[in-house]
Amino acid sequence: GVLLPETTLAGAAGLAERLRVAVTETFCEHEGKRIPLAISVGVAIFGPSDTSVDSALSRCDEALYAAKRAGRNQVVVAST
């Protein structure tokens, strides 16, 4: 996980998307084959309804698993 103090939800989602794209442009060599890499990212902010950092992290985790269920290699933003 990455914490981004003083960052808006849009800013965090934008950074996550730039990271996702950078990873997809990277390849791993294995047994003479180029294997493309991919990541799924969940993004959430600490919002007014959060009573602890754990509640925001839980929503972020839910968004990550939603990205994986939706086909992977994407960014999903948690609802606030």
Side-chain angles (χ1 to χ4, degrees):
V2 177
L3 297 176
L4 302 169
E6 312 270 335
T7 305
T8 64
L9 185 60
L15 175 63
E17 180 61 18
R18 290 190 303 277
L19 178 61
R20 188 197 65 76
V21 169
V23 168
T24 62
E25 294 171 351
T26 304
F27 293 84
C28 177
E29 297 285 335
H30 180 69
E31 296 180 356
K33 296 179 185 175
R34 286 182 55 154
I35 301 168
L37 301 178
I39 62 171
S40 299
V41 182
V43 177
I45 61 167
F46 187 86
S49 64
D50 290 306
T51 57
S52 69
V53 172
D54 287 339
S55 63
L57 289 175
S58 178
R59 286 186 300 103
C60 186
D61 197 43
E62 290 171 15
L64 169 62
Y65 284 102
K68 290 180 178 186
R69 283 191 305 272
R72 302 180 184 214
N73 193 31
Q74 58 189 286
V75 174
V76 171
V77 177
S79 59
T80 53

